[in-house]
Amino acid sequence: MASLKELRNRIASVKATQKITKAMQMVAAAKLRRAQTAAEAARPYAERMEAVLANLAKALEGREGGSPLMVGTGKDKVHLLVVCTSERGLCGGFNSAIVRLAREHINRILADGNEVKILCVGKKGYDQLRRQYQGLIIETIEFRGVRQLTFEHAEQVSRKVLSLFDEGGFDVATLFFSRFKSVISQIPTAQQIIPASIPTESEASVDLGGAVYEYEPDEDEILTDLLPLNITVQVFKALLENAASEQGARMSAMDSATRNAGDMIGKLTLNYNRTRQAQITKELIEIISGAEAL
């Protein structure tokens, strides 16, 4: 049985931990509002970009010599997985869920006899993936010192992806991130970005109203600029969705930790009081027994 001093030390330790988790919960709640607003503001632009690409793809349907960023290389031998996770932990299963989805894709691709390359965006994804796939990781991009993600950070990732593609480093690129739904719900998502995953009219979230557009300059020239921009936009959307999901997951995790600390403090306090009462009773019995012996 633990001594009273040990129990007091444990209670004090848990109370100190509870203060930390409560503070982290409040900080995450404050950051969540801004991150959620940024993620929701980026969605319409990314969806409209996909709708424009869908319209252009329909106009170019049947033509030869399309951009490799849209039609691909004609092969799917080498796959690049861009795994976006957070730089810090203490956010529940947020990072593990993304890595689990990426691991399922990796195992499936390898089982088909194809090659996998991994580009990690975020330290936590690298820490988990390197245990099993160290040889497949080609680079890690970290934003540890960044307070707020901007479009320039997404360009840094997209430039690396486009550079590898121009060098013939892969045939298919897939982006992994967590889409923010609510504080308690984040959805791990895999999105193919090369070749561009063009939604059909039934899948498109933006209704074009059945309108037919004429483009100036022609579609090929527009796609030359639009397709690389689309990759940057999709990466930026993924980073913003991840930022909101991370704060939501951390807020939920710290709330659970604070509640668990409160329960543990209650149990330790009860144990402390029982132990203290037992010692007092024992001392009283010894005093009474000594008095009777006299």
Side-chain angles (χ1 to χ4, degrees):
M1 182 180 293
S3 65
L4 290 178
K5 183 179 180 180
E6 290 174 345
L7 289 172
R8 282 197 300 268
N9 290 339
R10 289 184 63 185
I11 291 172
S13 176
V14 176
K15 283 183 177 179
T17 302
Q18 186 184 39
K19 290 180 181 179
I20 295 173
T21 57
K22 183 64 176 178
M24 291 186 67
Q25 178 191 350
M26 296 175 67
V27 171
K31 290 182 176 180
L32 174 62
R33 182 183 298 275
R34 182 171 53 196
Q36 182 179 352
T37 301
E40 291 175 346
R43 289 174 185 170
Y45 184 83
E47 291 168 356
R48 175 62 66 174
M49 177 74 77
E50 290 182 340
V52 172
L53 285 176
N55 189 272
L56 285 169
K58 186 176 181 181
L60 292 173
E61 193 172 353
R63 295 190 193 178
E64 295 182 356
S67 171
L69 290 175
M70 175 171 282
V71 300
T73 61
K75 302 179 293 183
D76 63 347
K77 187 67 178 175
V78 183
H79 290 251
L80 175 69
L81 307 187
V82 184
V83 183
C84 301
T85 55
S86 69
E87 301 291 346
R88 298 172 180 82
L90 296 177
C91 48
F94 166 73
N95 293 306
S96 298
I98 299 173
V99 171
R100 188 182 306 114
L101 180 62
R103 189 180 289 116
E104 292 173 358
H105 276 68
I106 294 170
N107 293 335
R108 183 165 61 251
I109 293 169
L110 294 177
D112 292 337
N114 296 324
E115 183 181 347
V116 174
K117 296 180 179 179
I118 304 173
L119 173 61
C120 294
V121 181
K123 183 177 182 297
K124 290 301 177 180
Y126 170 75
D127 289 342
Q128 294 190 39
L129 288 171
R130 70 176 178 176
R131 302 168 191 168
Q132 189 175 355
Y133 307 108
Q134 177 71 55
L136 304 180
I137 299 175
I138 58 174
E139 189 174 337
T140 301
I141 299 175
E142 295 186 8
F143 299 119
R144 176 172 288 273
V146 176
R147 297 189 63 181
Q148 186 171 359
L149 292 168
T150 63
F151 197 73
E152 285 73 18
H153 298 111
E155 285 183 326
Q156 181 180 343
V157 178
S158 65
R159 278 198 300 267
K160 179 62 179 179
V161 173
L162 291 171
S163 176
L164 285 171
F165 186 70
D166 292 338
E167 295 169 1
F170 63 89
D171 301 309
V172 180
T174 306
L175 185 64
F176 292 85
F177 62 97
S178 185
R179 184 167 62 85
F180 178 81
K181 186 176 181 181
S182 67
V183 174
I184 60 174
S185 178
Q186 301 86 35
I187 305 172
T189 304
Q191 178 182 355
Q192 182 177 304
I193 55 176
I194 299 179
S197 179
I198 306 300
T200 62
E201 292 184 2
S202 60
E203 295 173 339
S205 55
V206 178
D207 184 14
L208 296 177
V212 177
Y213 294 92
E214 291 185 1
Y215 294 95
E216 179 66 32
D218 61 21
E219 291 89 342
D220 292 324
E221 190 172 345
I222 294 175
L223 284 175
T224 301
D225 294 329
L226 197 61
L227 286 170
L229 177 61
N230 176 62
I231 293 174
T232 306
V233 168
Q234 300 306 326
V235 171
F236 186 46
K237 183 190 76 170
L239 293 178
L240 292 179
E241 293 281 353
N242 257 13
S245 297
E246 177 190 353
Q247 298 303 332
R250 180 172 289 114
M251 179 180 171
S252 179
M254 291 301 99
D255 179 61
S256 297
T258 302
R259 293 174 183 272
N260 290 339
D263 293 340
M264 184 174 292
I265 290 171
K267 292 178 181 178
L268 288 173
T269 302
L270 180 61
N271 191 11
Y272 173 82
N273 291 334
R274 286 177 174 174
T275 303
R276 181 169 174 271
Q277 186 64 44
Q279 288 189 1
I280 292 173
T281 303
K282 181 180 178 182
E283 290 174 0
L284 288 174
I285 293 174
E286 290 176 351
I287 292 172
I288 294 172
S289 298
E292 291 179 350
L294 293 175

